């Protein structure tokens, strides 16, 4: 399909997923009003899921896009799909546990989020900064039996972290080897 180039994620059945944080507003490419996921269905035909209405339930304004934002679709080994949406003053975790048919939104009191994705980790850990961009947190979601997530496990890692929006390498500093 026609889309803005972004990283491609593959699920366990080798289907690709590409996130597109849509059309520019007023000739400004930093903000968007559409969130679309492109993927192949079981018949190997491209389909697009427009998640813009899901986002509007949580925040009725444009969201940020660009190189500093998380642009990957994350899929865990159980087929759960995760998408990060970043607004000017907050962020939202979108989650589907049924192959993208239904979506749940989890507002986070952070402004910048990145996924740590390690093989066989369900769900992925979220690295995040608070609104002033200084405190670094690990948010460790937990899958619940009812199919939802609990995102309340937020661990402060640093109170003087540099702001990941100012450059690359954010994930390299979020853990040590």
């Amino acid at each position: 399909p026609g889309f803005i180039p972004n990283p491609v994620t593959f699920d366990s059945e080798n289907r690709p997923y590409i996130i597109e944080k849509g059309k520019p507003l007023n000739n400004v490419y930093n903000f968007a009003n559409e969130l679309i996921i492109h993927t192949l269905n079981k018949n190997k035909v491209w389909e697009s899921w427009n998640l813009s209405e899901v986002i509007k339930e949580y925040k009725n304004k444009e969201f940020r896009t660009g190189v500093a934002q998380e642009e990957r679709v994350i899929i865990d080994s159980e087929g759960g799909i995760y998408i990060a949406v970043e607004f000017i003053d907050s962020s939202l975790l979108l989650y589907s546990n049924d192959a993208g048919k239904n979506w749940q939104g989890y507002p986070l009191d952070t402004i910048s989020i990145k996924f740590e994705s390690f093989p066989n980790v369900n769900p992925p850990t979220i690295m995040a900064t608070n609104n002033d961009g200084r405190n670094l947190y690990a948010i460790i979601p937990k899958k619940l039996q009812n199919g939802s997530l609990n995102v309340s496990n937020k661990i402060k890692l640093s109170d003087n972290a540099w702001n990941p929006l100012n450059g690359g390498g954010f994930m390299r500093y979020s853990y040590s080897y």
Side-chain angles (χ1 to χ4, degrees):
F3 61 91
I4 296 171
N6 259 332
V8 179
T9 302
F10 294 90
D11 67 13
S12 62
E13 296 178 20
N14 209 29
R15 282 189 305 250
Y17 293 80
I18 305 165
I19 192 168
E20 180 178 356
K21 293 182 180 174
K23 313 293 184 260
L25 296 175
N26 302 321
N27 293 323
V28 175
Y29 285 86
N30 240 9
F31 301 94
N33 58 1
E34 287 187 326
L35 176 62
I36 300 168
I37 306 301
H38 302 285
T39 188
L40 289 176
N41 64 24
K42 295 198 184 265
N43 297 322
K44 303 210 183 291
V45 175
W46 283 101
E47 63 183 22
S48 299
W49 308 331
N50 190 329
L51 303 181
S52 302
E53 292 302 314
V54 175
I55 294 169
K56 285 182 182 178
E57 290 181 29
Y58 299 94
K59 201 116 179 168
N60 192 15
K61 66 180 182 180
E62 297 82 29
F63 45 92
R64 289 185 297 175
T65 64
V67 295
Q69 280 69 51
E70 179 64 78
E71 298 288 342
R72 297 176 296 157
V73 175
I74 300 296
I75 302 168
D76 68 27
S77 64
E78 296 173 353
I81 304 172
Y82 305 82
I83 298 170
V85 181
E86 298 176 45
F87 302 104
I88 297 299
D89 59 354
S90 60
S91 56
L92 177 68
L93 172 64
L94 293 179
Y95 170 66
S96 174
N97 64 0
D98 60 3
K101 293 178 186 76
N102 297 289
W103 292 88
Q104 304 162 30
Y106 298 90
L108 303 172
D109 61 346
T110 60
I111 60 165
S112 179
I113 57 178
K114 301 283 185 188
F115 292 114
E116 288 280 4
S117 54
F118 297 106
N120 300 318
V121 175
N122 293 315
T125 298
I126 300 166
M127 304 305 293
T129 59
N130 66 342
N131 286 347
D132 67 8
R134 303 296 291 166
N135 296 331
L136 178 64
Y137 298 92
I139 301 171
I140 305 171
K142 180 180 179 183
K143 288 186 178 182
L144 303 178
Q145 288 188 357
N146 66 3
S148 66
L149 295 176
N150 177 335
V151 294
S152 64
N153 189 5
K154 182 176 168 183
I155 302 166
K156 188 175 189 178
L157 301 177
S158 172
D159 58 4
N160 197 20
W162 58 278
N163 187 337
L165 298 178
N166 291 333
F170 173 60
M171 301 316 293
R172 290 187 183 100
Y173 297 102
S174 63
Y175 58 91
S176 59
Y177 295 98

